[in-house]
Amino acid sequence: MDFDFIPFGNAYVKISECEGEQGFNCWLKHCGPDAKSPAADCYTGDIVCQHGSEECYGNLAEVCVKSMLNDDPSKYMPFVYCLEANGKVSTSQMEKCATISGLNPSDVTACMNGDKGKSLIAAAAKKTAMVPGRDYVPYIEVNGKVLKETSLLKETVCRDYNGTKPEGCKF
């Protein structure tokens, strides 16, 4: 079963075409799947996160760690859980979670502050914008089918999993 986590949520990129307009919806109109010719700055401008700068910081940390751990969910998701566990993302929490995940916090910070981080968050923005009909988060698909009721995630994954059921699916 494939798993992909895209830490971008309902964030959007400030683009010149949307000055003075409703940010998120305008961004999707100009940069999403229905845009005829996407704006040049669709994924590279300043990012505005639904829940503020703390969420933007967390998104950036998560895309960096995801990349640093070779996009392996069994390695990067513990970092995500740790970072978001207490509902408040901070530098000290990121450093603690990076260390627990076997990473050097200064390497994560270097990614976040460098071109690599910019490139990774731009890719997350583009991937998020290109999901047709996405109007909520978390947006989850299991085997190509949208799962709107997130409380059914474990049940759905376990039902659809092919092969020997993992321990977590024995209920």
Side-chain angles (χ1 to χ4, degrees):
M1 180 167 282
D2 291 330
F3 176 85
D4 192 12
F5 170 72
I6 306 158
F8 201 73
N10 283 333
Y12 64 93
V13 179
K14 285 185 182 179
I15 60 172
S16 55
E17 288 84 354
C18 295
E19 292 298 320
E21 290 188 50
Q22 173 62 23
F24 181 76
N25 292 327
C26 182
W27 177 66
L28 281 182
K29 181 173 90 178
H30 291 280
C31 301
D34 297 327
K36 300 219 183 316
S37 57
D41 57 351
C42 273
Y43 314 112
T44 58
D46 292 333
I47 296 171
V48 178
C49 290
Q50 181 180 16
H51 303 292
S53 60
E54 185 180 298
E55 179 183 15
C56 284
Y57 178 88
N59 289 347
L60 188 55
E62 289 168 356
V63 294
C64 284
V65 168
K66 181 181 174 191
S67 175
M68 294 168 78
L69 295 175
N70 302 312
D71 292 335
D72 181 344
S74 68
K75 293 181 179 169
Y76 70 75
M77 284 308 294
F79 173 85
V80 172
Y81 297 141
C82 177
L83 187 66
E84 298 185 10
N86 68 4
K88 185 153 178 64
V89 175
S90 66
T91 301
S92 62
Q93 186 73 2
M94 181 281 288
E95 291 170 346
K96 171 186 154 196
C97 299
T99 301
I100 289 169
S101 298
L103 296 171
N104 183 331
S106 63
D107 292 341
V108 177
T109 300
C111 173
M112 293 172 68
N113 293 332
D115 290 340
K116 179 74 171 173
K118 289 176 188 168
S119 172
L120 291 167
I121 203 70
K126 184 173 186 177
K127 198 164 191 178
T128 298
M130 289 301 156
V131 176
R134 183 193 72 81
D135 58 356
Y136 59 92
V137 291
Y139 178 85
I140 301 170
E141 288 184 9
V142 178
N143 287 337
K145 294 181 213 128
V146 176
L147 179 67
K148 285 198 172 201
E149 186 53 58
T150 59
S151 65
L152 299 175
L153 177 61
K154 180 178 176 181
E155 177 185 324
T156 304
V157 167
C158 289
R159 181 192 68 227
D160 289 5
Y161 184 79
N162 293 323
T164 304
K165 300 290 185 199
E167 194 61 40
C169 289
K170 296 175 182 169
F171 50 90

